[in-house]
Amino acid sequence: MPAAESGLAARELRADGHRLLLVFGGDTAGMAAALSDGPAVLAVPEETESAVTGSAALVRALGRAHVMGAAVDWRVVLAGAGARRIPLPGYAFQRSRYWIEREWTMPLLLSDDPGTREPDRRSPAALLWALPEQERSGHVETMVRECLNRALGNGPDDQVDAEATFRDLGMDSLGAEDLRDQLTTGAGVEIELADVLNYPTVVDLTERVLEKLAARAEEGTLDEIAGTARSGNEVPESGTGPVDPAPENADESDGSLASFYIRAIRTGRINVALRLARAASETRDTFDQDDPRDLAELRQVGAGAGGPTIVGLTPPIFPNLDLPYSYLHAGLDPASDVWSLWSPGFAGEAPLPADRAALLRMLAKPLRRELAGTPLIIAGYSSGGWLAHELATYLERTGVPVTALLLLDSYLPEEEMDQTETRSEFMREQIRRRDLMGMSLDRPDRTVTTSGQIAAMGGYSRIFSGWRPGPLKAPILHLLASEVVAGMPTSSEDHPFPAELAHRVRTLPGDHFTILSQHADLISENLHDWLTEVQPA
């Protein structure tokens, strides 16, 4: 393009609001001179000897644009190249190598026109699915092993036991994120942190990746590029209060309540941690049963038709998430409307209930408003069982019929815990899973461990101190996990919900943290069969 025309084109682009121009060959000097007070001009040499060198020039130019503040979608630019984000050392004396060890292949950048797309440039998911089934399984297992070794910082000759849990292999939260990101890129399917947590061995995670590949094949989306999971660094919604994430290394306390609490848990001093949380709750504002505000949040987790409406109470003790009810909804057959009911006090510095009476009246408000006249199954996972049973009792007492109460591995509150290795490991796993799951959800105000949330947990522990459930008119189904955590069987010392109050008690595979994520189909089957028996109509 002649210099005069290139200058004119550049000025028109500036008038349209463009502030950064990538120019492929031509009179870049003339354009830069014409725009000395305007947009930046980046020259891209015409390296056309091969697709590789041409692509390299373009990637270098995009890198320069990125440094200058341009938003570059690197997932699209580097799709199929095996490129991935890597952590950088946080301080000078961190004893880790950050050199890229393997040869990196420059991606072949192709036209957006499907007609010019080379047939062998398919997504990783499509390439894996094209393999014979047995070969595909072996390839995915090898990929999981290699990604795990890199996430653990192992050398190329290190071998991991395919059935050893990632926790036992020494994986921390950063390693779990790294493993998630590597597999998302390598397999071309969206791997969540919850997948790494709930499928915690090479064998289990391989099966999970194969399941996701099959689902993509069924949906016809194998060629779509999978993005990385959310990092959990989103800004909280306005009005939800500040978020002060717990320090990654709680042994080096930053002086916050969260750091002291987590340090006590990690060092096995469970009752010290619980007393600390309860004491902190005494400093919080409270509401009584006459408070006119709406402080409980009712949130629809999933929709369905044909099944009963289920309302799940989020556990007031870690993990305070509604993710378990998402798993429950995914496994239900027939599908049902599933709602989560969030208790007050866990977002920012929201007030805590002064007593159980104030809590129950506040929890009932959104149910009366949103689900009036709807037959309800009240559900409670973990410590959410305390709230579920009390709410069902309150609803029955105030004339609201409850179809049934579904308890999912629920236990009774304890003033003091026996400091056994099982209890210590259980509490450590709660902390670990809460923060990792929070990274993959879009509610950082709810999902990041904060001092305010620990105080809220202490408040609920305090108002439920000494609580024991009584009989209900509605039938109760209690589904128990066979293990507390992986490899540690459940026993009567774990203070489960009283069996004599339940219409039926069943023990299912999995532990406290995987009973829903891995066995929601069995929960659905047991619930359906039981409802047919107790509610034949």
Side-chain angles (χ1 to χ4, degrees):
M1 179 185 296
E5 293 183 16
S6 64
L8 176 62
R11 284 189 289 274
E12 289 179 354
L13 288 169
R14 177 176 60 181
D16 288 340
H18 297 285
R19 292 293 175 264
L20 181 64
L21 306 178
L22 267 66
V23 182
F24 294 81
D27 182 27
T28 55
M31 296 186 74
L35 298 173
S36 58
D37 61 343
V41 178
L42 298 180
V44 182
E46 293 182 289
E47 300 181 14
T48 57
E49 303 86 16
S50 71
V52 172
T53 56
S55 296
L58 178 55
V59 170
R60 282 195 295 271
L62 289 171
R64 292 170 60 199
H66 176 72
V67 170
M68 297 177 70
V72 179
D73 191 342
W74 291 109
R75 291 178 302 172
V76 174
V77 175
L78 301 175
R84 62 184 177 86
R85 288 178 180 269
I86 62 170
L88 292 177
Y91 54 94
F93 300 101
Q94 189 168 333
R95 305 292 186 182
S96 299
R97 290 175 56 83
Y98 288 88
W99 299 108
I100 299 175
E101 302 288 355
R102 68 182 183 86
E103 193 69 25
W104 184 71
T105 303
M106 177 63 66
L108 180 61
L109 303 182
L110 303 168
S111 166
D112 290 335
D113 180 0
T116 67
R117 194 173 172 84
E118 295 185 13
D120 61 342
R121 302 300 297 175
R122 291 173 293 176
S123 72
L127 292 172
L128 285 171
W129 192 253
L131 297 173
E133 184 174 356
Q134 187 170 356
E135 185 179 346
R136 183 192 314 138
S137 298
H139 195 98
V140 170
E141 181 174 341
T142 299
M143 179 189 300
V144 171
R145 284 180 179 275
E146 292 175 348
C147 292
L148 177 60
N149 270 326
R150 287 193 290 270
L152 293 172
N154 291 342
D157 297 327
D158 290 329
Q159 297 294 322
V160 295
D161 184 346
E163 296 186 356
T165 66
F166 300 151
R167 181 183 64 246
D168 291 340
L169 293 171
M171 178 174 286
D172 58 14
S173 59
L174 289 177
E177 288 185 84
D178 188 19
L179 178 57
R180 171 202 63 185
D181 292 345
Q182 289 187 64
L183 284 177
T184 294
T185 300
V189 294
E190 193 79 39
I191 301 298
E192 302 285 354
L193 279 166
D195 294 321
V196 177
L197 287 168
N198 293 312
Y199 299 85
T201 69
V202 170
V203 172
D204 291 340
L205 194 52
T206 297
E207 291 179 359
R208 182 60 170 164
V209 173
L210 291 170
E211 287 174 3
K212 292 204 167 193
L213 283 169
R216 290 281 294 271
E218 186 175 346
E219 295 166 358
T221 58
L222 284 169
D223 282 317
E224 292 182 6
I225 298 171
T228 56
R230 289 184 292 275
S231 66
N233 296 322
E234 296 88 344
V235 178
E237 298 173 9
S238 61
T240 57
V243 173
D244 62 335
E248 291 179 8
N249 186 352
D251 292 329
E252 297 179 10
S253 172
D254 64 357
S256 70
L257 171 63
S259 68
F260 285 120
Y261 178 89
I262 293 173
R263 183 176 183 180
I265 293 295
R266 288 179 175 167
T267 55
R269 291 172 288 180
I270 302 172
N271 290 316
V272 170
L274 296 180
R275 288 194 293 270
L276 183 65
R278 285 194 286 265
S281 71
E282 299 274 10
T283 68
R284 292 281 293 274
D285 291 337
T286 60
F287 62 87
D288 60 25
Q289 57 183 323
D290 297 322
D291 196 301
R293 292 173 291 180
D294 288 323
L295 299 175
E297 178 186 354
L298 183 65
R299 181 182 183 189
Q300 187 164 20
V301 172
T309 298
I310 299 175
V311 176
L313 279 294
T314 56
I317 310 298
F318 288 160
N320 174 243
L321 306 172
D322 62 3
L323 190 61
Y325 302 117
S326 297
Y327 290 133
L328 176 62
H329 176 263
L332 290 175
D333 184 18
S336 299
D337 285 338
V338 177
W339 300 75
S340 64
L341 185 54
W342 291 78
S343 298
F346 287 91
E349 292 293 321
L352 292 169
D355 50 34
R356 292 202 298 272
L359 170 65
L360 296 172
R361 188 175 186 278
M362 196 62 74
L363 290 174
K365 284 184 181 182
L367 296 183
R368 297 181 190 279
R369 185 176 60 249
E370 303 291 339
L371 299 174
T374 303
L376 300 177
I377 292 178
I378 305 297
Y381 164 67
S382 190
S383 57
W386 315 347
L387 277 62
H389 185 279
E390 279 294 90
L391 179 60
T393 303
Y394 176 82
L395 292 174
E396 287 186 344
R397 190 169 65 244
T398 55
V400 179
V402 175
T403 301
L405 174 64
L406 171 62
L407 297 176
L408 299 164
D409 208 43
S410 191
Y411 53 89
L412 296 180
E414 298 175 70
E415 189 72 26
E416 294 282 322
M417 283 190 177
D418 296 332
Q419 298 198 186
T420 64
E421 179 56 32
T422 299
R423 292 297 178 81
S424 296
E425 184 58 33
F426 175 75
M427 296 291 283
R428 284 193 290 265
E429 188 72 359
Q430 281 188 320
I431 290 288
R432 179 171 176 268
R433 284 176 172 266
R434 178 186 171 77
D435 286 339
L436 288 179
M437 285 183 180
M439 294 174 190
S440 66
L441 300 177
D442 60 356
R443 295 295 300 273
D445 62 306
R446 299 282 194 180
T447 57
V448 178
T449 301
T450 68
S451 296
Q453 289 183 337
I454 289 170
M457 180 185 71
Y460 279 82
S461 175
R462 185 164 46 82
I463 66 173
F464 275 90
S465 177
W467 172 82
R468 290 297 180 266
L472 278 179
K473 294 178 184 177
I476 301 173
L477 171 64
H478 192 187
L479 299 177
L480 289 165
S482 60
E483 296 180 313
V484 179
V485 293
M488 294 183 174
T490 301
S491 73
S492 58
E493 297 178 355
D494 296 311
H495 300 278
F497 188 89
E500 63 272 14
L501 294 180
H503 180 273
R504 177 174 296 167
V505 178
R506 287 284 184 271
T507 300
L508 302 184
D511 61 40
H512 184 77
F513 303 100
T514 62
I515 184 174
L516 275 156
S517 60
Q518 293 189 21
H519 305 291
D521 55 338
L522 290 178
I523 291 174
S524 174
E525 180 181 317
N526 276 270
L527 176 61
H528 181 269
D529 292 347
W530 176 72
L531 285 175
T532 302
E533 179 182 328
V534 299
Q535 299 282 343

